[in-house]
Amino acid sequence: MKIAVLSFLLSTALAGNIVEELTAAGATTLVDLVVKAGLADTLTGPGPFTVVAPDNEAFAKLPAELLATLSGDVELLKKVLLFHVVPGMAVMKKDIANNMVVPFPDADSLHIVNVYLKSKFYDGFVTVNGKLMKKYDITADNGVIHILSDVVYPFPSATIAQLVAADDRFSTLLAAVVAAGLADTLASEGPFTVFAPTNEAFAKIPKDALDGLLADTEALKKVLLRHVLPGALFKKGISWDTHSTAGGEEEDMIATQVFKGDVIKVVSSVGGTRKGARVVAADIIATNGVIHAIDTVI
């Protein structure tokens, strides 16, 4: 233990500040933008800071129009960059827990931080709003840096309930959620994962059967809660696995499956009837979790 503490203290003593360590790590696009936004003095200050730092490849993935907008709007650029900086603490990977929520009051938003596949055999991997941490624990003399695969943008600003209400793809789901009295649940703190059937998914159900389901509050609630998982399961964390759902019963458990070609399926088995759906849009992020649109009601 003493050796580990001594090693940490020595690495910190020999480290440069956040900006110097970002440069040394090759995050030169981020450093250039930090300077452009006038944040270099902030990130060379006393800290401590935790910086989740998009690498050069992450910025290269951004649409050219967005990058041009950021470069031309210093205040927006500053806001986006500061959304990658947690002031007042230096959080090492070992301190990160699954479903951590980090508020950013200035952006009226948050980070949902997840640790996936962690076991006694594997340390697992970390995502921030679904974006993968590629490298951890780059120590600076005023904090710590973790390298990200993507820029964390845009900022989540609406709850799952608000996103469903605002998205035309989910108008039938919205009617079902309201009929089942679940709108307040999907607006609550969470985090949750919702496998959200699109209008086309509901259209696969015969009209008489759908009308009957919408008229039976308890049966409707049971079906809808089968589509909701406790905790945030972003696309990068989805694997071949089984999951308990908000339905609560063993028969309400669902399975996720991942195939080549970026194909993700979710499967239920209720009363001997197996139903499978394909994810058609992943990682629709909310302030209280994440939505994955699916093509079939399960």
Side-chain angles (χ1 to χ4, degrees), residues 60 169 204 221 265:
R169 292 175 295 180
K204 293 179 181 180
K221 185 179 295 186
K265 292 185 177 181

Side-chain angles (χ1 to χ4, degrees), residues 20-259:
E20 290 168 337
E21 292 301 323
L22 284 171
T23 303
T28 53
T29 303
L30 176 57
V31 171
D32 289 345
L33 292 172
V34 163
V35 172
K36 187 177 183 67
L39 293 174
D41 287 346
T42 300
L43 295 183
T44 58
F49 305 102
T50 301
V51 178
V52 287
D55 61 11
N56 290 355
E57 291 178 5
F59 282 103
K61 294 178 190 176
L62 291 179
E65 285 185 12
L66 175 57
L67 199 52
T69 299
L70 292 175
S71 297
D73 185 338
V74 172
E75 287 307 308
L76 177 60
L77 176 62
K78 186 181 295 187
K79 189 175 181 180
V80 170
L81 295 179
L82 288 176
F83 194 57
H84 294 75
V85 180
V86 182
M89 61 185 74
V91 181
M92 308 296 284
K93 185 191 177 189
K94 66 179 177 59
D95 302 317
I96 298 172
N98 192 35
N99 288 311
M100 284 179 66
V101 174
V102 182
F104 283 80
D106 290 346
D108 194 24
S109 192
L110 48 74
H111 286 176
I112 301 175
V113 185
N114 292 97
V115 184
Y116 295 122
L117 299 182
K118 188 172 184 178
S119 70
K120 62 181 180 180
F121 305 109
Y122 174 50
D123 271 350
F125 62 90
V126 178
T127 64
V128 178
N129 287 5
K131 313 302 185 185
L132 180 68
M133 273 190 191
K134 297 170 67 174
K135 188 174 182 180
Y136 310 94
D137 297 348
I138 299 172
T139 306
D141 63 11
N142 61 341
V144 63
I145 300 163
H146 308 291
I147 301 295
L148 287 186
S149 64
D150 293 271
V151 178
V152 186
Y153 185 80
F155 315 127
S157 58
T159 66
I160 290 171
Q162 289 169 330
L163 288 177
V164 167
D167 194 323
D168 290 342
R169 292 175 295 180
F170 302 127
S171 57
T172 307
L173 174 61
L174 175 62
V177 166
V178 171
L182 292 175
D184 288 345
T185 300
L186 295 184
S188 62
E189 185 174 350
F192 308 106
T193 301
V194 177
F195 289 100
T198 62
N199 293 344
E200 289 77 9
F202 280 102
K204 293 179 181 180
I205 302 174
K207 185 178 185 306
D208 288 349
L210 180 59
D211 289 345
L213 181 62
L214 291 172
D216 185 337
T217 302
E218 288 308 309
L220 179 61
K221 185 179 295 186
K222 185 174 178 63
V223 169
L224 293 177
L225 289 177
R226 191 182 307 133
H227 293 74
V228 180
L229 308 184
L233 182 62
F234 286 89
K235 180 180 177 182
K236 282 188 168 62
I238 297 176
S239 61
W240 282 77
D241 203 355
T242 55
H243 308 270
S244 296
T245 68
E249 302 295 331
E250 186 174 348
E251 73 167 6
D252 294 316
M253 293 181 70
I254 61 172
T256 49
Q257 302 171 341
V258 181
F259 300 90

